[in-house]
Amino acid sequence: MDYANIEKKWNEKWERDGLYRFDEKNLDKKYYLLEMFSYPSGLNLHLGHWWNFGLSDSFGRFKRMQGYNVFQPMGFDSFGLPAENYALKTGIHPEDSTLRNISVMENQLKNIGGTFNWEYELITCKPEYYKWTQWLFVQLYKNGLAYQKEAPVNWCPSCNTVIANEQVVEGVCERCGTEVIRKNMKQWFFKITNYAERLLLGLDNLDWPQKTKLLQKNWIGKSIGCEVDFKTEDGQNTLTVFTSRVDTIFGVSWLVIAPEHPLLSKLVTPENKANVKEYVEKAAKKDEIARSSTNNEKTGVFTGTYVINPLNGNKVPLFVADYVIASYATGIVMGVAAHDERDYDFAKVYNVPVVQVIQPLNEGKVDLPYVEYGKLINSGEFDGLTSEEAKIKIVEKLEKIGAGRKKVNYKLRDWSVSRQRYWGCPIPIIHCPKCGAVPVPEEQLPVLLPRIHDYKPEGEGPLGKVEEYMSVKCPVCGQNARRDPDTLDAFVCSSFYQLRYPDVHNDKQIFSSEKINKICPVDTYVGGVEHATAHLLYSRFVTKFLYDLNLINFDEPFKRLVHQGMVLGSDGKKMSKRNGGKTADEYVNEFGSDALRLTMMFSMNYVDGGPWNDEGLKHMTAFMDRIDRIVSKWASLDGENNSQLNRKEEQDLEYARAYCVKEMTESFEVFSFNTAIARLMELVNAMYKYDKFELKNNVLAKNVALDVIKLIAPAAPHFAEELWQNVGEKYSVHNQKYPVYEKSKLIRDSVEVVLQVNSKIVARMEIPSSSSNQEAIDFAKSNEKIKSLIDGKNIIKEIVVPGRLIKIIVK
RNA sequence: GCUGGUGUGGCGGAAUGGCAGACGCACAGGACUUAAAAUCCUGAGAGGGCAACUUCGUGUGGGUUCAAGUCCCACCACCAGCACCA
């Protein structure tokens, strides 16, 4: 069979026939399968695309043959940095390069032979899509979840531009190598922090990889503790600290305030002003990396101010130090040298007292710092309590005297969405000197992105230079106003796309129909783990927000998530053009897409990924030939039941088929494609084994052959279709039911078990499958070898694992 | 540093606590062929033995169990995420 050449024919026919069309009228058995859409950031699909799209398409085909109405739309995440960088590199306008790349990629994706529902295609950089991105922004704004504030951005002084976090590599600009500095600019934020608790709780019910849930959990970073108010000595100011270890409060020897803290200037005494000023300026210059590095020695200076511990009245000094982060919790922390690593380091340098207030429950001696829980000492009325008890009692006391309260903090920060870039969704906000920030009225959306040619990033939104874009009347008061010159982070575009697919052609409303509630949420979502704390978190936030607006009736976007591993070069390193990676198309042209898909499926574990080796393609082609030969032969047997096989042989063949069907079904379900193909190889091997009987007429053999075609159809769709036609069956194999197995066929008359004496294998024997445990032991004892080993010895124990082993322990 | 994950033949990789290495590659032998390729069949973890057989084997060291790649403890190596979050 000429694998590469049959594919075009079938692709065309399937498309003509609309074979895989999604049936909107039959939503009860819908299955929404989605792969993370790709950036049109280059021209050629590489093996990674195939790994993602091709293999999950096989999963979709499998579901389809099981009778599901599979919805598997496809689109392009076409705004944002990857597309813009490609444009900057090639000098072609982003709109042109993006649309051209999309059309090339569409064709290549069609070559996969996927069952994608192209009628629902969406492209995020098109106005009919980004209208809804802007609509989402407006809804968030109206509900108080989009706001503007001064915030630091990454600034490259050499390129004279703001750059994204992903473009900062080890503190320097990825393009020119200049050290990146932080600069404050007015930015839009989405208040994802309002949803921190729900984003955390929702994880429990998701069928997602543990790893990913944990990444999100740590990213959200919930910390339960309390706030404690320390008054300054003069009673003029209150400094509130957050601590998760209030049980150590009697060990507080100092307080530390962050250099950027707004209260700081008020708290510095005149004689310390110069020192503190110098320190704060130095800290501001340090970039994030240097400041956050752990082996960094603790530094800080005394502010001259003393504060009073509300529980024991102790007077302790206030320091300023850059190991405290202004933006987390209150920006002030208490220093307990005996029970915190960082505080201990600080105390060593500044020679402040170390007071132990916790000891281990066994009262043994400890090396400080001791950060575990234990029993309180040197803590006045709380002595003797455990840390857990003390936390409760101390908060109660603090609340009683009005000096503290329970508090929960999260590491999660609000989502920064402003980008000083051209190639993105325009922010639908008008800044009016009188009315302030006013959202563009919904009926005026979309705000179109103007086509301009001077779009190089220069620190401010390039749109700011386009007067006809910027100049606008305020929708509220009608006065002259200005548009927002920035565009939205592309993650905004992708935060709801899966909701848009089902009703993508409706340009009046986004959540108009029952369709969305019926088709969504996504049943299985396939994509890389690298989006764990970005796209996958943002989508969950947006879905919960839309749920709160009563627009949808579910509050999680993706029920089940599967991460595909990474395809590596044959040297085990990341694939690149340099180490000779061919494009996917080159493989397809030479071997055909089915061989490529099968090879990928078989040679690596889907979740782990692994090294890719061209060799595999040759072998897979040989396997396909092998199937072709035996299946063609067996399927052409006429269906008279005139078997040359005896009962045992028939049973074994039935067993081989049933076992293969069972295992393949289970493997496909969990994306374990490599073992699925292995099981199919076993069945094919079994067919060759029985082929030596020169079968002439055999119903069983014919059915096995037809089943093999169906079983391989999801993995090698063109090959299976061709084979199906060649053996004279009616088009199309893809409309056949996926084979099911009869449980009874998995039971044969007899089964081989292992006989062990004292955990050593001494023999094997065939015993009837129906044997009870006692009968099995009796069979074992009748074995000559066993007899000789247990004769005259005490039998301590007899163990039977049905169908597997019989073990006798003797002494 | 913290948190997770991984570690199995020459290679890719399999194994609900129950025959380690499924399936495949590379390898060796055989059949077919004038020959080669292709195909079909057989063998194969490592060491020792002519052989029946035997010893050792899932990163290292301990433990639990009739039985451990799998569970527990400690350690080593690599990978990923977070990175002073009080």
Side-chain angles (χ1 to χ4, degrees):
Chain A
M1 207 186 283
D2 181 354
Y3 301 117
N5 279 323
I6 59 169
E7 296 187 349
K8 194 164 171 256
K9 170 179 84 179
W10 289 117
N11 280 344
E12 281 168 6
K13 178 155 175 64
W14 294 333
E15 193 172 341
R16 241 188 353 261
D17 298 347
L19 190 66
Y20 307 121
R21 197 166 291 140
F22 177 64
D23 182 1
E24 289 196 1
K25 286 188 204 73
N26 175 21
L27 297 181
D28 292 336
K29 250 206 141 180
K30 69 91 192 183
Y31 195 97
Y32 191 171
L33 169 66
L34 188 64
E35 297 92 46
M36 289 183 185
F37 60 172
S38 46
Y39 312 113
S41 54
L43 275 175
N44 287 309
L45 292 195
H46 48 77
L47 292 176
H49 287 108
W50 273 74
W51 188 238
N52 186 12
F53 293 114
L55 273 60
S56 46
D57 173 62
S58 287
F59 173 76
R61 288 174 170 278
F62 162 73
K63 280 282 157 201
R64 204 176 159 278
M65 286 179 78
Q66 282 189 328
Y68 289 94
N69 181 21
V70 175
F71 184 51
Q72 196 185 8
M74 184 60 72
F76 292 93
D77 190 11
S78 50
F79 264 147
L81 284 174
E84 180 168 333
N85 287 343
Y86 180 84
L88 286 168
K89 202 171 75 192
T90 58
I92 306 169
H93 192 276
E95 187 178 8
D96 300 339
S97 67
T98 300
L99 294 180
R100 194 190 63 186
N101 286 359
I102 285 174
S103 82
V104 174
M105 284 176 79
E106 278 169 356
N107 279 327
Q108 296 183 63
L109 282 164
K110 283 175 183 164
N111 281 342
I112 289 181
T115 59
F116 308 121
N117 302 107
W118 286 103
E119 326 74 273
Y120 297 82
E121 181 180 20
L122 61 77
I123 292 171
T124 61
C125 68
K126 293 204 166 170
E128 59 266 29
Y129 183 85
Y130 68 69
K131 172 180 175 177
W132 300 108
T133 314
Q134 293 172 342
W135 173 89
L136 175 67
F137 184 101
V138 172
Q139 305 311 309
L140 286 160
Y141 181 81
K142 285 182 176 167
N143 286 278
L145 292 170
Y147 67 97
Q148 227 180 348
K149 76 167 186 205
E150 286 269 327
V153 293
N154 302 305
W155 178 266
C156 172
S158 159
C159 302
N160 195 27
T161 178
V162 169
I163 59 176
N165 283 330
E166 304 83 64
Q167 290 180 295
V168 185
V169 180
E170 288 174 6
V172 303
C173 172
E174 88 178 334
R175 264 206 240 152
C176 65
T178 313
E179 201 166 302
V180 170
I181 60 168
R182 306 284 275 173
K183 189 175 162 179
N184 273 325
M185 290 185 79
K186 217 168 186 195
Q187 308 273 307
W188 283 97
F189 287 85
F190 289 165
K191 238 185 210 167
I192 191 171
T193 50
N194 273 21
Y195 284 77
E197 188 63 27
R198 282 167 66 191
L199 288 168
L200 195 60
L201 285 174
L203 289 172
D204 290 341
N205 302 319
L206 293 179
D207 181 9
W208 284 23
Q210 264 319 313
K211 167 173 74 170
T212 313
K213 293 204 223 182
L214 200 66
L215 281 173
Q216 288 208 352
K217 192 178 164 206
N218 293 340
W219 186 260
I220 294 167
K222 182 178 184 176
S223 172
I224 300 169
C226 72
E227 288 181 348
V228 185
D229 302 330
F230 287 70
K231 282 208 157 43
T232 50
E233 210 179 357
D234 58 12
Q236 295 296 302
N237 288 296
T238 301
L239 301 188
T240 302
V241 304
F242 172 74
T243 178
S244 60
R245 288 300 301 274
V246 77
D247 53 313
T248 65
I249 193 160
F250 283 77
V252 173
S253 308
W254 72 95
L255 251 51
V256 185
I257 188 166
E260 301 88 351
H261 201 288
L263 265 183
L264 176 60
S265 55
K266 271 207 272 180
L267 297 166
V268 184
T269 57
E271 60 272 24
N272 290 286
K273 274 229 152 75
N275 261 347
V276 170
K277 187 165 178 258
E278 192 196 340
Y279 183 80
V280 170
E281 280 171 3
K282 226 166 74 194
K285 272 199 207 125
K286 281 198 213 173
D287 61 71
E288 287 275 286
I289 304 289
R291 227 179 114 168
S292 63
S293 124
T294 326
N295 52 25
N296 210 8
E297 231 187 51
K298 297 287 171 286
T299 62
V301 293
F302 179 43
T303 60
T305 297
Y306 288 89
V307 296
I308 308 297
N309 186 328
L311 281 188
N312 60 10
N314 280 359
K315 186 175 112 177
V316 297
L318 173 71
F319 285 83
V320 54
D322 66 4
Y323 75 85
V324 175
I325 298 163
S327 52
Y328 178 72
T330 64
I332 309 172
V333 306
M334 54 190 217
V336 185
H339 305 294
D340 183 281
E341 302 264 2
R342 292 154 308 191
D343 294 348
Y344 188 80
D345 292 345
F346 187 84
K348 270 192 307 200
V349 178
Y350 292 91
N351 208 17
V352 276
V354 178
V355 183
Q356 188 185 346
V357 292
I358 306 286
Q359 66 173 1
L361 293 175
N362 63 17
E363 304 190 5
K365 235 182 120 41
V366 287
D367 291 328
L368 296 181
Y370 177 71
V371 300
E372 308 295 316
Y373 281 2
K375 200 194 285 180
L376 272 70
I377 53 172
N378 301 324
S379 297
E381 58 185 291
F382 303 102
D383 277 356
L385 296 180
T386 64
S387 291
E388 291 89 342
E389 293 163 349
K391 279 185 174 188
I392 297 164
K393 296 273 188 227
I394 292 174
V395 179
E396 278 172 9
K397 173 87 185 240
L398 285 167
E399 284 178 336
K400 210 163 109 196
I401 63 173
R405 62 215 66 86
K406 282 184 206 151
K407 174 80 182 172
V408 174
N409 271 310
Y410 300 90
K411 281 195 220 172
L412 182 69
R413 302 295 151 82
D414 280 338
W415 174 13
S416 152
V417 296
S418 294
R419 295 292 179 268
Q420 292 71 39
R421 289 289 199 138
Y422 167 63
W423 191 239
C425 173
I427 293 181
I429 287 287
I430 292 166
H431 298 280
C432 168
K434 202 172 123 205
C435 312
V438 178
V440 174
E442 285 175 37
E443 63 276 10
Q444 288 174 29
L445 298 178
V447 175
L448 291 174
L449 180 70
R451 187 177 165 103
I452 59 172
H453 294 279
D454 179 14
Y455 52 80
K456 284 213 177 59
E458 280 168 348
E460 287 169 6
L463 295 176
K465 287 181 282 188
V466 186
E467 194 49 36
E468 40 312 357
Y469 175 77
M470 291 299 288
S471 174
V472 67
K473 299 284 184 221
C474 170
V476 177
C477 69
Q479 281 191 22
N480 286 339
R482 310 287 287 172
R483 287 194 192 276
D484 196 293
D486 290 348
T487 53
L488 287 171
D489 176 12
F491 279 124
V492 180
C493 307
S494 59
S495 66
F496 68 101
Y497 79 114
Q498 82 286 351
L499 300 173
R500 183 67 186 143
Y501 275 126
D503 207 12
V504 71
H505 300 301
N506 185 339
D507 65 346
K508 295 283 178 292
Q509 280 178 290
I510 180 168
F511 298 114
S512 59
S513 64
E514 269 301 293
K515 253 194 244 173
I516 287 158
N517 280 331
K518 279 207 164 144
I519 296 173
C520 296
V522 173
D523 291 284
T524 294
Y525 194 39
V526 184
V529 69
E530 66 274 12
H531 292 114
T533 53
H535 166 61
L536 288 167
L537 194 63
Y538 300 145
S539 309
R540 296 186 57 223
F541 158 58
V542 168
T543 304
K544 287 181 190 302
F545 167 65
L546 295 169
Y547 173 80
D548 289 350
L549 293 185
N550 279 321
L551 291 169
I552 52 179
N553 66 7
F554 51 93
D555 77 340
E556 285 288 346
F558 313 115
K559 280 202 265 191
R560 176 193 187 205
L561 175 67
V562 175
H563 292 308
Q564 84 276 28
M566 209 193 298
V567 181
L568 305 170
S570 52
D571 53 0
K573 295 201 182 77
K574 213 172 161 178
M575 276 251 211
S576 70
K577 282 166 205 116
R578 223 173 297 134
N579 57 27
K582 286 192 199 173
T583 66
D585 262 15
E586 288 173 292
Y587 289 115
V588 173
N589 290 337
E590 192 173 346
F591 296 94
S593 76
D594 288 346
L596 180 55
R597 235 204 257 219
L598 275 171
T599 306
M600 293 197 119
M601 281 184 161
F602 182 60
S603 58
M604 301 167 262
N605 171 304
Y606 191 66
V607 170
D608 296 337
W612 164 259
N613 199 328
D614 287 6
E615 281 295 296
L617 280 163
K618 233 170 40 201
H619 313 133
M620 196 47 75
T621 306
F623 174 58
M624 290 162 74
D625 287 338
R626 190 168 154 88
I627 291 182
D628 187 7
R629 282 190 299 272
I630 194 78
V631 163
S632 301
K633 186 170 171 193
W634 281 30
S636 65
L637 296 173
D638 62 41
E640 276 175 59
N641 206 358
N642 178 12
S643 180
Q644 285 81 5
L645 303 177
N646 66 29
R647 173 171 166 81
K648 176 159 170 49
E649 290 155 356
E650 283 235 352
Q651 245 185 17
D652 284 349
L653 185 54
E654 282 278 19
Y655 175 85
R657 167 167 74 166
Y659 180 74
C660 174
V661 170
K662 172 175 180 283
E663 293 288 315
M664 279 190 86
T665 306
E666 289 169 10
S667 297
F668 255 88
E669 201 60 66
V670 298
F671 283 67
S672 179
F673 302 119
N674 53 346
T675 55
I677 303 301
R679 298 293 86 84
L680 186 67
M681 287 173 168
E682 282 169 357
L683 180 57
V684 172
N685 290 345
M687 290 168 78
Y688 272 93
K689 182 175 148 198
Y690 290 109
D691 195 46
K692 69 181 177 215
F693 292 102
E694 309 260 331
L695 303 173
K696 289 193 187 63
N697 314 303
N698 191 299
V699 165
L700 174 60
K702 183 177 174 119
N703 287 338
V704 169
L706 295 180
D707 273 359
V708 167
I709 304 178
K710 293 184 217 164
L711 287 167
I712 202 170
H718 311 88
F719 170 67
E721 190 76 287
E722 182 80 4
L723 209 45
W724 193 249
Q725 176 187 266
N726 288 352
V727 302
E729 294 296 320
K730 238 173 94 192
Y731 176 85
S732 156
V733 69
H734 301 295
N735 284 338
Q736 304 302 310
K737 272 263 172 291
Y738 199 78
V740 290
Y741 66 96
E742 287 171 56
K743 280 213 174 83
S744 61
K745 304 290 187 208
L746 290 172
I747 301 162
R748 287 165 291 183
D749 291 348
S750 66
V751 62
E752 190 192 73
V753 294
V754 170
L755 306 183
Q756 293 187 350
V757 173
N758 289 353
S759 298
K760 255 182 115 155
I761 298 166
V762 288
R764 289 155 210 284
M765 79 188 293
E766 289 261 330
I767 65 167
S769 311
S770 54
S771 312
S772 68
N773 286 358
Q774 189 51 54
E775 284 164 346
I777 289 164
D778 293 341
F779 277 120
K781 285 180 180 163
S782 70
N783 180 286
E784 288 305 320
K785 196 116 190 232
I786 299 279
K787 258 189 207 162
S788 69
L789 282 164
I790 63 173
D791 213 27
K793 301 213 168 119
N794 267 342
I795 294 179
I796 313 273
K797 207 168 183 180
E798 297 163 334
I799 295 150
V800 177
V801 182
R804 286 182 185 265
L805 70 84
I806 300 164
K807 184 190 284 193
I808 297 169
I809 312 296
V810 295
K811 210 168 162 185

